[in-house]
Amino acid sequence: MNRIREMMRDLCKPNGVCSCLSVCFGGNEESVCEYLGTIGDGIPVDSETIFDLASVTKLFLAIVYQKMVEENLVCLDEPIERYTIRFQNIANIKLKHLLSFNVQLQTDKRIDECNSRDEAIIELCDIKGNYSEKPIYSDMAALVLGELIYDISGKNFGDWIDDLFVGPYNLKATLWRKLPKDYSRICSYDNEKWLINGVLYNKNNPVAEVNDPKSRVLGNHSEFLCGNAGLFSSINDLEVLSKALLNGSIISKKSLMAIAEGGGWENRGDQQSFGFQCYRKDVNPIQTEVPSKASKYAIASVGFTGLYWLLDIENNCYIIIVANKLKDCVSKVYPNIAIEESRILFDGKQYDCSVNYVYQRDRLRDYIYDLLIV
């Protein structure tokens, strides 16, 4: 554990860019957890700290779809038009292709530029696109899938989360509805910055507000849960869910393996291999989100805020790394400029920059995975 603590210190301020970092790993029974840093106002991070899961929400989306398959509510080989009269421009797209990122989708107007949920829904339902033989990672398919859940089942995505995960496993920190602004256990992502075309922008990240701008608008500020982002949870709740998923309690292991298989084992993008709304092991050792020593049936989900969740179904183990890589950091840089030791120089001032955090995190991930499979 000393080596893990040392690697965590390297990722956290003042050595690294993260204001806090938590790790949890194990198998069906035993687990190990470590915590470092603060979540804002000097409050130490712990097992109950609530984080914005960001795109890790997509893995929950895939699990809900597999549960609907188990309950014979949906067939993933069917086109959208089998379940709804909405989305007329992509009515012939199959659900499995949305889940596996094998679609190229675009709205006329950006969802995050819409002025209300009603406007965003109209824009989303008018989305245009086609099947793509090569998967393209995007939020758009998840946004469509999130809305389709109600058309298919008569129950919205958020209610599925409550009924399938929160209620049965007594999860106290897995939330998506409006969160109280004064909740002291919610991680703060304030003072995030983007450096775009030579202009430094300050992001507005209110506490308890989802970071993703599309989800803010489409979800009407957490009144509805979107398919791409919007879930909040703690490392304790994710540990509980990891064990439940690996033992087949939420969906069967066969269904979980189907998420890994996705659209087929050859379904590979330019730099990544995808299952259903998740990553899986790829031949590219630099870009892959899954350790090279992991099994074929290992899946990973990654959130922009700093979340990483690995489930290795065949080796029956999991890794959760929860970091805050946005607070007081430049999180996006375009076009690229020199980043030295997680710092950038702009307009005569030095800033922490988390753009390369994932590569530093991967060293911690791989070290932990090696411990798990010894």
Side-chain angles (χ1 to χ4, degrees):
M1 287 304 298
N2 287 338
R3 177 57 181 151
I4 289 177
R5 295 187 188 105
E6 180 183 328
M7 296 176 82
M8 290 174 68
R9 285 194 293 270
D10 287 342
L11 287 168
C12 280
K13 299 178 187 295
N15 303 321
V17 297
C18 299
S19 60
C20 62
L21 180 68
S22 304
V23 300
C24 181
F25 56 93
N28 256 340
E29 301 299 331
E30 296 183 0
S31 62
V32 176
C33 299
E34 287 287 330
Y35 312 96
L36 182 65
T38 62
I39 64 173
D41 296 329
I43 301 171
V45 64
D46 60 26
S47 64
E48 296 300 325
T49 299
I50 298 174
F51 293 88
D52 181 346
L53 299 190
S55 283
V56 173
T57 302
K58 294 185 179 80
L59 181 54
F60 286 84
L61 180 73
I63 294 167
V64 168
Y65 267 86
Q66 286 301 130
K67 189 64 175 181
M68 291 195 297
V69 170
E70 290 183 350
E71 295 184 358
N72 296 315
L73 293 172
V74 69
C75 173
L76 302 183
D77 205 41
E78 296 278 6
I80 290 173
E81 63 186 356
R82 167 69 174 77
Y83 299 99
T84 184
I85 60 172
R86 301 193 293 168
F87 305 103
Q88 286 295 306
N89 295 323
I90 55 170
N92 64 332
I93 296 291
K94 293 182 177 181
L95 294 173
K96 67 179 182 181
H97 294 148
L98 287 168
L99 283 163
S100 63
F101 300 107
N102 287 103
V103 287
Q104 191 164 13
L105 300 171
Q106 187 171 352
T107 52
D108 291 334
K109 180 179 180 179
R110 290 180 59 91
I111 297 297
D112 53 9
E113 292 178 355
C114 293
N115 295 314
S116 66
R117 170 175 166 80
D118 289 343
E119 182 186 354
I121 286 290
I122 292 171
E123 197 66 38
L124 185 64
C125 287
D126 195 42
I127 197 168
K128 300 170 180 66
N130 297 286
Y131 169 78
S132 172
E133 185 174 345
K134 182 177 290 189
I136 304 167
Y137 185 87
S138 167
D139 282 349
M140 303 313 295
L143 289 174
V144 173
L145 287 163
E147 284 299 314
L148 275 172
I149 286 179
Y150 183 82
D151 299 71
I152 293 167
S153 69
K155 186 165 66 173
N156 65 41
F157 182 31
D159 290 334
W160 272 98
I161 293 295
D162 292 343
D163 294 345
L164 186 59
F165 303 99
V166 176
Y169 296 94
N170 195 29
L171 305 180
K172 301 299 185 184
T174 301
L175 312 163
W176 59 271
R177 299 181 195 274
K178 291 184 177 180
L179 281 70
K181 302 298 183 183
D182 60 349
Y183 202 142
S184 64
R185 303 310 307 160
I186 299 177
C187 192
S188 169
Y189 299 97
D190 67 341
N191 203 29
E192 177 193 3
K193 297 176 176 63
W194 290 1
L195 181 56
I196 308 295
N197 295 323
V199 179
L200 191 65
Y201 296 93
N202 251 314
K203 287 287 302 300
N204 178 29
N205 293 335
V207 173
E209 185 86 56
V210 60
N211 180 266
D212 180 75
K214 297 181 294 299
S215 296
R216 286 189 190 181
V217 177
L218 190 64
N220 197 29
H221 299 277
S222 299
E223 183 179 354
F224 300 90
L225 179 61
C226 297
N228 70 313
L231 265 179
F232 290 74
S233 192
S234 67
I235 203 164
N236 182 69
D237 282 8
L238 291 177
E239 178 189 1
V240 170
L241 293 177
S242 297
K243 294 176 179 179
L245 285 164
L246 289 173
N247 68 30
S249 298
I250 299 175
I251 56 174
S252 70
K253 280 204 169 185
K254 180 180 178 181
S255 292
L256 195 57
M257 287 180 170
I259 291 176
E261 185 173 354
W265 295 113
E266 300 305 316
N267 194 45
R268 185 179 183 277
D270 289 331
Q271 294 181 317
Q272 287 283 359
S273 185
F274 299 99
F276 282 157
Q277 293 295 301
C278 65
Y279 298 96
R280 62 187 182 202
K281 190 164 68 173
D282 189 72
V283 294
N284 187 328
I286 302 299
Q287 297 294 335
T288 184
E289 294 288 359
V290 175
S292 60
K293 295 180 182 178
S295 78
K296 181 179 183 179
Y297 287 100
I299 57 176
S301 189
V302 181
F304 181 71
T305 51
L307 271 288
Y308 178 85
W309 191 15
L310 171 78
L311 295 169
D312 192 328
I313 306 156
E314 194 170 302
N315 288 330
N316 202 45
C317 61
Y318 62 87
I319 299 173
I320 307 161
I321 301 175
V322 183
N324 183 352
K325 71 179 187 72
L326 303 186
K327 182 175 173 59
D328 302 322
C329 279
V330 177
S331 63
K332 283 188 179 182
V333 176
Y334 180 84
N336 291 333
I337 62 174
I339 302 173
E340 297 183 10
E341 297 183 351
S342 301
R343 308 288 187 272
I344 60 171
L345 186 66
F346 175 73
D347 201 20
K349 186 177 179 180
Q350 195 174 66
Y351 295 89
D352 288 342
C353 180
S354 59
V355 170
N356 291 334
Y357 157 79
V358 292
Y359 303 110
Q360 300 159 345
R361 178 212 64 202
D362 286 352
R363 291 195 287 271
L364 173 61
R365 175 203 69 189
D366 291 346
Y367 181 83
I368 292 173
Y369 192 83
D370 287 346
L371 293 178
L372 287 171
I373 61 172
V374 168

